[in-house]
Amino acid sequence: MTTDPFDLAAEAAGFIAARTGVAGHDVALVLGSGWAGAAGLIGETTHALPAAEIPGFSAPAVEGHAGTISSVLTPDGKRALVLGARTHYYEGKGVHAVVHGVRTAAAAGCRTVVLTNGCGGLNPAWPAGTPVLISDHINLTGASPLEGATFVDLTDLYSARIRAIAREVDPGLDEGVYVQFTGPHYETPAEVRYARLIGADLVGMSTALEAIAARHAGMEVFGVSLVTNLAAGLSPVPLSHGEVLAAGAAAGPRISRLLAGIVAKL
């Protein structure tokens, strides 16, 4: 198996095409914590491949991720590649493993990527179960998926066009700035206060590195967070992953309709 990350993505895309019989896909969806059931309304899942069988992918290390890479046929004939096996930076597999999914999606023909996550909210007006559009991000991992003199403009990284489509589907949506910490520990109250001071509205452990790689690959990027809890220092109860999963389950119908409606309008 090749070690070049772009060759590996091309190998993975070829494997998916061979196993599914689908030559190319149009849109990719990366399903984060709480979002695993949200692909059901997008269309007909015609193929579901165990992620661990696909070059460069591995079984998910976090409960709440599906562990499959699926090809979904939408009612209007589009092909969606649903990535239910996200690798997080804190797993220690390196940044190329973190962004392998979006690079594979680009190699499979996807021109648009939908990045989802479960996160902590810094706005008390957003209770658990609130979806929030990502307007921008702050990358606090100290890492980048790009190497060498690879200068990529991130001025308008998160598509205003798709955010407008999302508001057509769900007019009540707010938007905010997402900050990616490394994890896997949750942020301290002091770190949450720091995030607020530098302009963050949402805190989590994914998404930003994937968005950078997707922009580099020429994809249009849409990001949406599911607030699963108030962040440390704002929440009246201790933080837990069980809380994340419970909030995702409770918000399932709304976020499923949201994703299906967005994909239908792309």
Side-chain angles (χ1 to χ4, degrees):
M1 188 166 61
T2 181
T3 57
D4 179 271
F6 298 98
D7 289 346
L8 183 58
E11 182 182 349
F15 182 97
I16 292 168
R19 283 292 186 92
T20 63
V22 178
H25 288 77
D26 304 296
V27 57
L29 297 94
V30 180
L31 300 184
S33 296
W35 292 86
L41 292 181
I42 293 171
E44 178 192 359
T45 299
T46 59
H47 306 82
L49 308 177
E53 296 181 0
I54 303 172
F57 287 89
S58 57
V62 181
E63 184 182 356
H65 293 254
T68 56
I69 308 299
S70 301
S71 181
V72 176
L73 179 62
T74 70
D76 62 352
K78 293 192 188 77
R79 275 285 174 179
L81 187 66
V82 179
L83 305 171
R86 171 182 258 156
T87 297
H88 295 80
Y89 188 60
Y90 57 70
E91 294 176 42
K93 297 177 181 177
V95 70
H96 289 311
V98 172
V99 303
H100 178 62
V102 296
R103 284 179 170 158
T104 296
C110 297
R111 305 308 302 162
T112 304
V113 63
V114 175
L115 301 173
T116 71
N117 61 63
C119 73
L122 278 60
N123 186 339
W126 297 337
T130 303
V132 179
L133 307 179
I134 300 175
S135 59
D136 204 348
H137 79 227
I138 300 168
N139 174 16
L140 293 184
T141 67
S144 172
L146 311 181
E147 297 173 342
T150 308
F151 305 117
V152 177
D153 181 21
L154 303 180
T155 303
D156 56 351
L157 176 56
Y158 293 91
S159 171
R161 181 185 79 89
I162 305 180
R163 294 205 305 276
I165 290 173
R167 288 195 178 93
E168 292 175 7
V169 176
D170 189 337
L173 291 170
D174 283 333
E175 65 178 44
V177 175
Y178 178 91
V179 59
Q180 180 176 352
F181 285 87
T182 58
H185 52 275
Y186 292 110
E187 304 76 25
T188 67
E191 288 168 337
V192 169
R193 291 195 299 272
Y194 167 70
R196 294 179 77 171
L197 285 171
I198 62 174
D201 303 291
L202 308 159
V203 293
M205 307 174 193
S206 67
T207 303
L209 295 172
E210 294 162 322
I212 295 167
R215 166 54 63 90
H216 177 239
M219 303 170 80
E220 187 175 16
V221 179
F222 171 70
V224 57
S225 294
L226 177 67
V227 175
T228 56
N229 52 268
L230 287 174
L234 302 175
S235 174
V237 297
L239 305 183
S240 72
H241 191 60
E243 186 180 28
V244 171
L245 298 178
R254 182 181 183 186
I255 60 180
S256 295
R257 289 193 301 269
L258 174 62
L259 284 191
I262 292 168
V263 171
K265 290 174 174 286
L266 290 177

